[in-house]
Amino acid sequence: VGAFAMCAGSPLAFAKVGPEEIAKLGVEGTELTPAGAIRAGNAEGTIPEWKNELVQAPSDFVPGQYHTDPFRDDKIKFTITSKNYTEHADKLSEGQIAMFKTYPDWFMNVYETRRSAVYAPYIYEAALKNAGTAEIVLAPDRGQGIIGFKNAHHSWAFPIPKNGNELLINQATRPLNVWVDSMEQTLAIGSTGKFTVNQLSIQQHYKYSDPEIENFDPETDHLHYYQTLLAPAKVAGQVVLAKDPVSFTKKFRGAWAYSPGQRRVKRAPQIVYDNPLTATDGLATTDQKWGYNGPNDRFNWKLLGKKEMYVPYNAYKLHSADATIDKVITPEGRLNMNYARYELHRVWVLEGTLKEGTTHDYGRRVFHLDEDSYFIMTSDSYDRRGKIWRYWEDHDVMYYDIGFMAPAAEFQYDMQAGRMVALLFDKNNPPDFTGRWEDKYFTPASIRRQGVR
């Protein structure tokens, strides 16, 4: 039950961080970075010091195209396989260990650790301010008890997280690309390796990280998300519109769906929690996109500490225009691991345990959050019998031209079904960060105006 039980009766939870601890945070010369990460490397030298130095774009990078690899000259340090994973078990998650046991040919190529999560000054300025002002807000009268926050903007609300609630809010308030127009592909892959490519056109405006928006109210809509299915033909024209606040204590997700067959825009309250994620054939839940999203009241959240762990990082090989489906997906229906890059990073470990009196596909889930970005790098999901069920990976890159981290690809393995779901970019259409849309674009009326099929 952990931290939630200690404070569920109060609308505000936990005192603000004291001035002595805040003094540990800083851009230069402090014990902790503005994100609250340990600035120093580890004793073994296998994790380097964090430096406030933006990744430099390689000379062959063409703006508007896929980001070329700034670390292409790095060599594989070693490979973890089903034969030697026990030697590295202290730096693996239970989900990763289960993968080696389930798929004897699975492996992890480990590279030099590059702490490339470095953001623009306004992100760090906001984080340093948030450290002294942000507060957890609980809404026990909403659902099973929503965890929210107040008095923070633009950046991580709690750079020095003291409990699972604050760590979870850091994931919800991590800096994200403000404007994105992308063509994406979702593949629900069978145990025989067969799949259908679902093509999605997605437009997003993430207001919380928008430097042009000041005095942001976390109870207002911060994520505007418009998704259109373009293929296969039998589902083409389906639209999903979602609008999320950052803090769900007063307002819930607004979601609408359009079906070409019915030619009607309807509210879609089911697009939340463990409702199947679009086009995944039930292999992933809606709240797993980006590691986790949406209201957080179905689980009790506990901070289990921090550990060194091998996680996907700097996934420029997967991001490359050459990383097409035919190369990335093997005949067995899994990721071609030669395209994956793993590095040793310190991660926060966050456990969610299903609350009594509520329901979810997962009885327990364990997230591993990068200390420099609070992105969920991997997630271990357990069924309600307590057995490991699914393993999720975010393969992220730092978009060095715009200064934000985002997934290059996301994968989930269902080890009980022997299947995988892959979320990829269409390599003929690089993501575009120059698009701008008025708020009225992200409305049900806009879907009707579009006149989709």
Side-chain angles (χ1 to χ4, degrees):
V1 175
F4 185 84
M6 291 190 286
C7 57
S10 171
L12 300 180
F14 303 105
K16 300 187 187 80
V17 176
E20 290 185 2
E21 286 190 286
I22 291 176
K24 296 179 181 179
L25 299 167
V27 176
E28 304 287 351
T30 49
E31 177 184 339
L32 303 178
T33 73
I38 299 170
R39 180 184 304 277
N42 62 1
E44 296 78 15
T46 48
I47 295 176
E49 176 187 359
W50 180 86
K51 296 180 180 180
N52 186 32
E53 298 174 358
L54 294 169
V55 175
Q56 296 301 303
S59 59
D60 60 350
F61 169 61
V62 178
Q65 299 300 310
Y66 278 99
H67 294 62
T68 51
D69 189 353
F71 310 124
R72 71 193 72 181
D73 294 332
D74 289 357
K75 306 300 182 183
I76 298 171
K77 294 177 67 177
F78 58 90
T79 300
I80 306 174
T81 70
S82 59
K83 295 181 179 179
N84 68 2
Y85 76 88
T86 56
E87 300 170 18
H88 305 276
D90 63 323
K91 293 181 173 61
L92 300 173
S93 76
E94 290 188 20
Q96 290 172 332
I97 290 171
M99 285 292 292
F100 285 115
K101 293 179 178 179
T102 305
Y103 304 107
D105 58 345
W106 198 65
F107 63 91
M108 300 165 64
N109 286 329
V110 178
Y111 291 78
E112 178 182 349
T113 299
R114 303 281 192 170
R115 295 178 71 176
S116 54
V118 180
Y119 295 87
Y122 84 95
I123 295 292
Y124 292 135
E125 291 168 8
L128 295 174
K129 182 178 179 181
N130 293 346
T133 60
E135 296 178 82
I136 286 288
V137 177
L138 298 180
D141 57 331
R142 291 205 51 219
Q144 296 290 323
I146 291 280
I147 303 160
F149 71 100
K150 67 176 184 178
N151 300 332
H153 69 286
H154 287 333
S155 189
W156 310 283
F158 301 100
I160 303 180
K162 297 294 186 181
N163 52 70
N165 292 349
E166 293 184 356
L167 183 54
L168 183 71
I169 293 299
N170 278 354
Q171 190 270 341
T173 56
R174 70 203 185 285
L176 292 175
N177 296 342
V178 177
W179 299 95
V180 186
D181 187 3
S182 57
M183 197 71 72
E184 302 181 17
Q185 297 170 327
T186 300
L187 285 60
I189 305 171
S191 56
T192 61
K194 294 183 179 179
F195 57 84
T196 298
V197 177
N198 294 271
Q199 191 88 4
L200 298 86
S201 171
I202 297 172
Q203 293 76 45
Q204 297 176 67
H205 183 195
Y206 185 73
K207 291 188 174 185
Y208 184 76
S209 292
D210 194 333
E212 297 181 8
I213 300 176
E214 295 295 337
N215 302 315
F216 189 85
D217 180 1
E219 301 291 353
T220 61
D221 294 327
H222 82 114
L223 172 64
H224 289 190
Y225 180 89
Y226 193 115
Q227 169 192 285
T228 308
L229 262 170
L230 303 179
K234 64 180 180 180
V235 296
Q238 291 183 9
V239 176
V240 169
L241 169 67
K243 300 170 75 171
D244 277 6
V246 200
S247 180
F248 288 84
T249 46
K250 295 180 181 177
K251 189 174 184 180
F252 206 65
R253 167 173 290 166
W256 295 263
Y258 173 84
S259 171
Q262 297 180 343
R263 293 185 176 275
R264 293 177 60 192
V265 179
K266 295 182 178 180
R267 280 196 171 272
Q270 75 279 7
I271 300 178
V272 72
Y273 298 122
D274 56 355
N275 187 70
L277 184 63
T278 300
T280 61
D281 197 24
L283 292 173
T285 60
T286 293
D287 64 6
Q288 286 189 279
K289 176 68 174 172
W290 307 303
Y292 187 81
N293 71 87
N296 51 40
D297 57 325
R298 296 282 174 97
F299 293 83
N300 291 310
W301 302 100
K302 184 176 182 181
L303 170 57
L304 299 184
K306 188 180 277 192
K307 67 175 288 186
E308 295 183 3
M309 181 174 158
Y310 296 113
V311 294
Y313 220 99
N314 292 310
Y316 293 97
K317 281 186 179 181
L318 269 173
H319 188 65
S320 167
D322 296 330
T324 51
I325 290 175
D326 59 312
K327 297 176 183 176
V328 168
I329 305 301
T330 68
E332 294 78 27
R334 299 196 297 278
L335 169 64
N336 179 347
M337 298 302 288
N338 289 307
Y339 281 86
R341 175 182 176 126
Y342 294 84
E343 300 179 1
L344 184 66
H345 285 261
R346 285 183 290 245
V347 297
W348 295 96
V349 184
L350 178 63
E351 178 188 59
T353 305
L354 186 63
K355 293 178 181 177
E356 292 185 12
T358 188
T359 60
H360 197 282
D361 283 354
Y362 303 133
R364 177 172 170 256
R365 53 211 307 188
V366 179
F367 300 145
H368 306 100
L369 291 80
D370 170 38
E371 70 169 341
D372 292 326
S373 66
Y374 291 92
F375 269 63
I376 294 174
M377 314 309 288
T378 71
S379 173
D380 300 342
S381 297
Y382 299 77
D383 62 25
R384 281 176 284 188
R385 299 171 297 172
K387 294 185 178 181
I388 189 73
W389 180 12
R390 291 171 171 171
Y391 170 67
W392 175 280
E393 290 186 332
D394 252 31
H395 292 255
D396 301 309
V397 295
M398 195 71 191
Y399 291 120
Y400 36 72
D401 55 335
I402 60 171
F404 286 104
M405 182 179 278
E410 298 173 81
F411 301 94
Q412 174 149 280
Y413 294 88
D414 186 322
M415 288 174 275
Q416 294 180 13
R419 300 184 63 189
M420 183 184 81
V421 62
L423 281 59
L424 308 166
F425 282 116
D426 176 353
K427 293 308 169 66
N428 294 311
N429 297 277
D432 179 11
F433 309 118
T434 64
R436 300 291 184 270
W437 307 274
E438 296 181 25
D439 284 354
K440 65 181 181 181
Y441 176 77
F442 299 96
T443 61
S446 174
I447 301 175
R448 298 186 189 99
R449 286 195 303 269
Q450 298 289 328
V452 183
R453 205 175 74 179

